[in-house]
């Protein structure tokens, strides 16, 4: 039995581009049965640098 996909590849691509555009690196992507896309980012590099300075 085939069921219609609850998400499209373009949805995932857009989400990844948004994360990368925000300066984060993608560590993991989860897609649930209901079509929710969760992107887990890798914050190790940001933590190693320390907090952002106040400008």
């Amino acid at each position: 039995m085939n069921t219609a996909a609850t998400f499209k590849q373009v949805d995932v691509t857009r989400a990844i581009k948004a994360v990368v555009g925000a300066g984060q690196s993608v560590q993991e992507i989860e897609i649930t049965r209901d079509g929710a896309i969760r992107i887990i980012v890798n914050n190790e590099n940001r933590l190693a640098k320390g907090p952002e300075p106040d400008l």
Side-chain angles (χ1 to χ4, degrees), residues 16-26 41-43 45-46 49:
I16 292 170
K17 285 183 179 181
V19 170
V20 172
Q24 299 291 319
S25 61
V26 176
V41 296
N42 183 358
N43 285 327
N45 292 340
R46 286 203 174 267
K49 290 181 185 176

Side-chain angles (χ1 to χ4, degrees), residues 1-7 32-34:
M1 179 172 141
N2 291 335
T3 58
T6 54
F7 70 96
T32 63
R33 287 181 179 239
D34 65 349

